[in-house]
Amino acid sequence: MEGSLLPVKLKRKLTYKGHYDYQYVDTMHVQEALWYLKHCNFFYKDVEFNESWINEFSLEDNGLIKKNDGCKEDQDMSIDDNDDDLLHDRQTHCMFQDTCLMPVDIGQEALDVYVDNVLNVAPGENNNPIKLLSDSTNEAKCFPVLFPSGFNTYEKRQYRLTLSCYFNNRLLHADGRFARNVEYIFFAQYMSELEQVVSKVSIALRKGTSCTSQNMTEVLKDENSLNKLLEFDDGYRFLKPIRGTPAFWQSAQRDLLACVRMLGKPTWFASFSSADMRWKNLLYSILKQEGRTQTLEQLQWADKCELLRRNPVTAARMFDFRWHVFVKEVLMSPANPIGKIEDYYYRVEFQQRGSPHCHCLFWISGAPVLDKNTDEEVIVFIDKYVTCEIPSEEDLLFEVVTSVQQHSK
């Protein structure tokens, strides 16, 4: 009936006790959305709606489970049950429970106890896997909200467009639907990296060898050839341009060690965190993107956090812009706030709350070296650029230093 909510569990397989996603859906909204997709999206034209909201496949599988429960001598079934229990713990909350007594989401656990008529859906069960790069329709099928008509996805065009450029245009477009969808951002990253791996994997085996397409199979079957590829890291050298891979971090480590050999030990180690909650222009730009006329004074702390959570691309771009401007216009300015910088190295990481921060190494010209210069010279150099003094309450920096630059118990 109108306004009713139905609990739906999205599973990888109906026989699993755990689930991939669990939400309460409005039945009227589902019917309206499906009606729109049937008339506007050609991928849904043959979809029929079950008015009774009964999943016949789920009932049949439940009956099979009850019959198999009576057979205690079936050892394979007991093993599957243990695997299902472990999968249930992982899939229910996407993590293990915090303690043995308290679940991660106690409210959801209470609802699960009193709710029996849960609709189980496993749309991908008994289907064959499809290669992501070979199926040009997967983008529209995975994100019907972003592509309601099923068109304008990455496909063959009159002018050549790479996959990376396509996703960059999607995320940086004035239409912020794609940039606000976290699932689409990770989908774009995965597709871009997968395309790089597939395009370079064949070149990696041929580079530096006399392999051809005819004897490539023979090379892979030869144990000595495989050991040679692994010994000289030729087997995964093609992963070097892809961030996060062992080959990428091996290259970054070599660059850093080369700086240490040429310039010596770094002078400063510094961390710079994103002050996104204090950047008024960032929050104003997000409000303008969403078409809201509110001011920052009218927003609570939770509202600001929600703004940043819904717009991860805008927040990350603002941090990247401010970081490079800060290095160029402040740290490397003629004022030399930390000394004259000869070279620097940094790495950007993302905290659990989603905000980025930088870890940096700076090499300063004329800086004293430990174990070479005296302790007095080192102390004088440190006192020249570093201070632990709290400004007076009349100073404009008092609030910033006490709230940001001071650790509390």
Side-chain angles (χ1 to χ4, degrees), residues 22 24 93 102-115:
Y22 181 21
Y24 282 80
H93 305 292
M102 181 65 69
V104 179
D105 190 351
I106 189 172
Q108 188 61 59
E109 292 290 336
L111 290 175
D112 294 343
V113 174
Y114 295 100
V115 174

Side-chain angles (χ1 to χ4, degrees), residues 146-202:
L146 301 180
F147 301 94
S149 61
F151 297 102
N152 299 326
T153 60
Y154 181 73
E155 53 192 9
K156 294 183 179 180
R157 302 170 182 263
Q158 181 180 359
Y159 301 98
R160 183 176 180 274
L161 179 66
T162 62
L163 188 62
S164 299
C165 292
Y166 167 77
F167 284 126
N168 286 336
N169 292 330
R170 282 297 187 194
L171 297 179
L172 303 180
H173 196 267
D175 184 3
R177 291 179 300 164
F178 300 92
R180 289 193 295 266
N181 193 308
V182 179
E183 290 79 8
Y184 186 81
I185 295 175
F186 283 102
F187 169 80
Q189 179 186 8
Y190 178 76
M191 290 291 291
S192 300
E193 294 178 351
L194 182 62
E195 192 269 341
Q196 294 182 47
V197 172
V198 173
S199 62
K200 297 179 181 179
V201 64
S202 60

Side-chain angles (χ1 to χ4, degrees), residues 337-355:
I338 61 174
K340 186 177 180 180
I341 299 177
E342 291 185 349
D343 202 350
Y344 65 94
Y345 182 90
Y346 71 93
R347 172 180 173 178
V348 180
E349 298 178 353
F350 284 82
Q351 299 171 345
Q352 188 174 4
R353 62 189 180 97
S355 296

Side-chain angles (χ1 to χ4, degrees), residues 212-228:
T212 60
S213 58
Q214 288 77 14
N215 61 358
M216 183 67 67
T217 305
E218 299 178 0
V219 173
L220 295 178
K221 291 182 178 180
D222 187 11
E223 184 177 357
N224 295 329
S225 300
L226 288 178
N227 292 334
K228 185 177 180 181

Side-chain angles (χ1 to χ4, degrees), residues 63-115:
L64 293 176
I65 294 175
K66 292 180 180 179
K67 293 180 181 180
N68 292 330
D69 288 342
C71 302
K72 297 182 180 180
E73 298 178 357
D74 192 355
Q75 298 180 357
D76 295 337
M77 195 63 186
S78 62
I79 296 176
D80 293 339
D81 290 341
N82 295 331
D83 294 340
D84 288 345
D85 293 339
L86 180 60
L87 185 66
H88 170 73
D89 294 336
R90 292 180 176 177
Q91 291 182 349
T92 301
H93 305 292
C94 300
M95 62 180 69
F96 291 105
Q97 294 181 349
D98 292 340
T99 64
C100 297
L101 301 178
M102 181 65 69
V104 179
D105 190 351
I106 189 172
Q108 188 61 59
E109 292 290 336
L111 290 175
D112 294 343
V113 174
Y114 295 100
V115 174

